[in-house]
Amino acid sequence: MGASASKIKFRESLASLTTRDVSPTDTDFWDELWKIPSSSEEVFELLTPANARKLRDDRFENLATLFTQATAQLCQIVETPYTIYFDQALNCVRVLTRVLPFLLEKGDLGERDRNVEVLCWGEQDDENDATTAAGETTLAGETAATGGSRTTI
C-alpha cells in the first residue's frame, strides 16, 4: 500500500470510529487499523484534537475498544516479539500517544469521568462488572471490551 493510499485508509478508519458504532468483535476492522502503515505525523495530523474529543464524548465505546485493542495488541506483541509485528506495535503506541491526553483531560479539568476511571484504572462498582454513570455502557475488563476475543496479528 502506497503512502497516500495508507493515509486515505487510515483517515477512513478514523472517520468510521467517530461517525458510527464499530463493534469490538469486528476483527476485520481492528486488524486492518493496526496494519495500516502510518507515521507519527500522520496519526497526529489525521487524529485531530477535535476528533479525539468527539470520539471521547460521542463514541466512548469506540474509544474504549480502540484503547483496549491497542493495549491487547501490545501485550500480544510482547508475548510473541517477531519483527514482522513491530510496525503494528508502533501504530498502537502512536495512536495511544495521541488519544490518551484527550481521554484523561476531563480529570485534569476537575470533572470526574466515570468511563475513563473504569477503562483506565479499573475502578468498578463490583468485581466483575462496571456501568457508566448513564448506565448505558458495561465494561468488564479487557475481554468484554474486546468482545471476548483477542485480536490476532
Side-chain angles (χ1 to χ4, degrees), residues 3-21:
S4 64
S6 65
K7 191 173 183 177
I8 291 168
K9 184 64 180 161
F10 190 70
R11 179 181 287 131
E12 290 170 354
S13 295
L14 292 176
S16 292
L17 286 173
T18 58
T19 59
R20 68 177 178 89
D21 292 332

Side-chain angles (χ1 to χ4, degrees), residues 75-107:
C75 290
Q76 191 169 1
I77 291 166
V78 167
E79 299 272 329
T80 54
Y82 301 118
T83 56
I84 60 171
Y85 302 137
F86 290 177
D87 286 339
Q88 286 177 246
L90 283 173
N91 284 343
C92 293
V93 169
R94 289 171 178 147
V95 168
L96 287 172
T97 300
R98 185 57 168 166
V99 300
L100 278 172
F102 301 102
L103 185 65
L104 300 173
E105 82 178 340
K106 279 189 173 180

Side-chain angles (χ1 to χ4, degrees), residues 36-138:
I36 299 170
S38 47
S39 68
S40 56
E41 291 83 11
E42 288 173 335
V43 171
F44 276 69
E45 175 188 334
L46 298 174
L47 187 52
T48 64
N51 284 342
R53 288 182 183 107
K54 182 177 182 177
L55 191 57
R56 179 197 65 207
D57 297 337
D58 300 342
R59 302 275 182 195
F60 189 82
E61 274 301 309
N62 285 351
L63 180 60
T65 303
L66 179 75
F67 179 87
T68 56
Q69 287 283 340
T71 305
Q73 286 285 325
L74 290 172
C75 290
Q76 191 169 1
I77 291 166
V78 167
E79 299 272 329
T80 54
Y82 301 118
T83 56
I84 60 171
Y85 302 137
F86 290 177
D87 286 339
Q88 286 177 246
L90 283 173
N91 284 343
C92 293
V93 169
R94 289 171 178 147
V95 168
L96 287 172
T97 300
R98 185 57 168 166
V99 300
L100 278 172
F102 301 102
L103 185 65
L104 300 173
E105 82 178 340
K106 279 189 173 180
D108 289 344
L109 299 173
E111 299 175 34
R112 183 174 180 187
D113 189 334
R114 185 76 181 134
N115 287 332
V116 173
E117 290 176 11
V118 170
L119 178 65
C120 294
W121 317 124
E123 293 184 16
Q124 300 180 359
D125 293 330
D126 72 36
E127 214 170 276
N128 298 319
D129 181 70
T131 56
T132 64
E136 63 203 30
T137 305
T138 301

